Amino acid sequence: MKIKKIILVALMLGTLITNANEKDNTNYKEAKGTVKVEFNNVKKGHTLTIKNANGLTVYNNEIKNSGNYSRTFDFSALENGVYAVELNKDFEIVIKQFYVENGLVSFINNNNEKIFKPIIRTEGKLLLISKISFDNEPLNVTLYYNDEAVLSETISGDKLLQRVYKLSEQKVGSYKVIISSNNRTYIKDFTI
């Protein structure tokens, strides 16, 4: 009786291991070493960047033609890990994530992540800042006048983050605004 139980357990364990191996092989058949990256409605001057999980750029290229973008990449030489293809557009960044394991690439999900960039404008003595924030990420704003910080503020709490700053009539000269959100930094220099 005890021998029958041991044989039954061994058969069950063997079946589980076989099924696990078959499932792993199926996943690898879906993964490829070369991948076609496609984006619709790109403009000349947009940039395509590929970054690793640490944020280091492994590829960067400026789009040369407007329209639809398509290019086949060979990612088989990349180290194992998570990577992101980023299309940096005028007002947004579109991100597609993928995973490389043993030279084979699998996309993590079929959805593109979008990060909306802040819009920074000046009108006379006014500085206008707005950003769409569907993910409720706060917006950190630091304003410099002649390399001296004159304002630092965190804006949060809404899907549309907006501020209007009235600049001093007496402080005419060079300004810089640095905005941080979604682990990214945006810088704009201007003069009034």
Side-chain angles (χ1 to χ4, degrees):
M1 184 82 160
K2 193 173 188 179
I3 295 175
K4 287 182 182 180
K5 284 183 183 179
I6 293 173
I7 293 173
L8 181 62
V9 170
L11 286 173
M12 288 174 55
L13 193 59
T15 304
L16 287 174
I17 292 171
T18 303
N19 287 341
N21 287 339
E22 287 175 10
K23 188 172 185 179
D24 287 345
N25 289 338
T26 303
N27 287 340
Y28 281 110
K29 288 178 186 173
E30 294 171 7
K32 300 176 183 176
T34 59
V35 175
K36 184 184 244 184
V37 175
E38 296 177 317
F39 288 99
N40 295 328
N41 301 320
V42 300
K43 291 183 184 175
K44 180 179 179 181
H46 289 169
T47 56
L48 184 77
T49 306
I50 300 172
K51 295 180 180 181
N52 67 11
N54 297 324
L56 297 175
T57 300
V58 296
Y59 176 83
N60 189 30
N61 190 31
E62 185 175 305
I63 305 293
K64 303 292 184 214
N65 299 309
S66 297
N68 294 331
Y69 177 85
S70 177
R71 177 162 180 193
T72 301
F73 290 92
D74 183 357
F75 294 134
S76 61
L78 292 177
E79 294 180 11
N80 290 349
V82 176
Y83 293 83
V85 177
E86 298 182 358
L87 178 63
N88 197 331
K89 299 174 89 173
D90 297 328
F91 301 108
E92 67 184 0
I93 301 169
V94 181
I95 303 168
K96 295 181 180 187
Q97 289 190 327
F98 63 94
Y99 185 77
V100 175
E101 186 175 358
N102 300 325
L104 299 175
V105 177
S106 300
F107 279 89
I108 294 175
N109 59 37
N110 292 332
N111 297 331
N112 297 334
E113 177 187 355
K114 287 185 182 181
I115 297 175
F116 292 95
K117 295 176 171 183
I119 298 172
I120 307 165
R121 298 181 301 133
T122 56
E123 291 180 10
K125 302 284 183 184
L126 298 178
L127 171 64
L128 300 99
I129 298 173
S130 63
K131 181 182 183 303
I132 297 171
S133 181
F134 292 126
D135 55 5
N136 293 320
E137 281 290 319
L139 192 66
N140 299 307
V141 178
T142 306
L143 179 64
Y144 293 88
Y145 171 70
N146 291 334
D147 297 326
E148 180 184 333
V150 293
L151 171 95
S152 184
E153 178 182 20
T154 299
I155 306 167
S156 62
D158 207 355
K159 301 285 184 212
L160 180 60
L161 306 173
Q162 305 180 81
R163 284 292 188 273
V164 177
Y165 301 99
K166 185 173 182 182
L167 305 175
S168 173
E169 297 280 338
Q170 288 77 32
K171 292 187 176 181
V172 177
S174 299
Y175 285 84
K176 177 187 288 191
V177 64
I178 300 176
I179 297 176
S180 300
S181 184
N182 300 95
N183 296 319
R184 296 171 189 274
T185 301
Y186 309 89
I187 300 172
K188 180 173 175 106
D189 294 304
F190 61 96
T191 304
I192 60 163

